[in-house]
Amino acid sequence: MCTLHLLFKCAPDEPLIFAANRDEFLAREWEWPGELSRLPAIYGPRDLAGGGTWTGVNECGLLVALANHEGTLSSGGSLCSRGYVVKETLRHESVAEAVDFARAIAPACKSYTMLIADPNVAFVAENAMGELRLHPLKPGPHVITNRRFGENGDTKAERSISKLKALIDDGRLGDGDLANFLGDHHLAKGQLTPLCVHDEGPPGFGTSSSTIIRVDSMSRVSKYLFAPGHPCTTEFVDVTPDFQRFF
């Protein structure tokens, strides 16, 4: 039930602001953000079960993140893991190259919605049963849930969009503002799970971590924050200095 948020060209000097919650079975093991690969250098958390990652950024300022589609969490049934898709997509230097790779690998993978973005251009790549559909993104706030992208009736996405628009209008896009946003527990009418998931999902399932990434107009990661737990109660740690050691 991951929820990914992109603020695309919504803030001066920060054309790419990413804020996301990873919702997963809490017993699934992962490692703290670190260097995932070189040439190009890739940075992000590591999923120990599949060996890939759910979100990351490379030295070119390319950001990639993925949300599984509903009902596809069970293991097996595909030639590659979705964490592998994210990691391999990040090996490319441009959004155009990354999109071409996503299109080529889609038939081998289970369904997902993936964000591919840099400070200049952004796409949502939606893989449904091996068929990839691309959604070019305009400046503004965008939300990816485990529903189909832009699907009518996605109350979780609609609530997030409304809250993000209010933050943009009020000029409240600081780290604390986004951390509080990710820790939201409110349920709108028809919404099954809040943004920060505790016991609303299956047993043993919830928000296991949160990420905030800022990329400036020069494609440099200016801030990388990570919370290793529920964002409502877990402090975000600034891992930017660690990130900068590899870049």
Side-chain angles (χ1 to χ4, degrees):
M1 300 179 188
C2 298
T3 311
L4 318 176
H5 307 88
L6 177 68
L7 293 163
F8 187 47
K9 300 183 179 180
C10 295
D13 302 321
E14 289 184 327
L16 209 62
I17 302 176
F18 174 78
N21 284 349
R22 187 198 191 200
D23 304 328
E24 182 54 271
F25 287 102
L26 300 178
R28 188 176 179 112
E29 296 183 333
W30 51 270
E31 286 183 345
W32 195 264
E35 186 182 39
L36 298 176
S37 181
R38 293 190 177 184
L39 299 176
I42 300 171
Y43 190 90
R46 187 186 305 273
D47 177 63
L48 295 181
T53 185
W54 56 95
T55 185
V57 64
N58 71 17
E59 64 182 74
C60 305
L62 179 70
L63 185 145
V64 178
L66 181 148
N68 300 328
H69 284 178
E70 286 181 318
T72 64
L73 279 179
S74 60
S75 60
S78 66
L79 298 178
C80 65
S81 74
R82 286 168 285 204
Y84 169 88
V85 173
V86 175
K87 184 178 175 180
E88 294 304 307
T89 303
L90 281 163
R91 292 190 186 277
H92 299 84
E93 295 183 0
S94 70
V95 169
E97 292 175 356
V99 165
D100 285 343
F101 172 79
R103 184 182 289 109
I105 197 135
C109 303
K110 288 183 178 181
S111 298
Y112 58 77
T113 303
M114 183 163 61
L115 173 66
I116 304 173
D118 69 16
N120 301 306
V121 63
F123 283 91
V124 165
E126 188 167 45
N127 175 24
M129 304 298 290
E131 181 178 345
L132 195 75
R133 181 180 181 185
L134 292 175
H135 304 268
L137 301 183
K138 298 179 180 180
H142 302 277
V143 182
I144 294 172
T145 69
N146 298 93
R147 304 271 296 270
R148 299 299 187 267
F149 182 68
E151 183 178 68
N152 290 332
D154 187 346
T155 53
K156 192 172 192 177
E158 292 168 356
R159 173 171 168 76
S160 283
I161 286 287
S162 178
K163 292 196 68 178
L164 288 173
K165 286 182 176 178
L167 290 176
I168 293 169
D169 291 343
D170 294 342
R172 294 187 294 116
L173 296 178
D175 297 336
D177 300 313
L178 295 178
N180 289 336
F181 165 77
L182 290 172
D184 183 33
H185 296 121
H186 181 83
L187 287 173
K189 184 178 181 181
Q191 184 176 335
L192 298 179
T193 59
L195 199 51
C196 183
V197 181
H198 287 257
D199 56 1
E200 296 88 354
F205 190 91
T207 299
S208 62
S209 66
S210 296
T211 302
I212 297 172
I213 299 174
R214 299 174 183 270
V215 182
D216 67 21
S217 56
M218 301 297 291
S219 297
R220 298 172 301 201
V221 174
S222 56
K223 185 69 70 73
Y224 195 128
L225 304 178
F226 186 78
H230 293 98
C232 61
T233 56
T234 306
E235 182 179 357
F236 278 79
V237 177
D238 187 354
V239 297
T240 313
D242 183 63
F243 168 87
Q244 291 173 342
R245 290 197 302 116
F246 299 106
F247 289 80

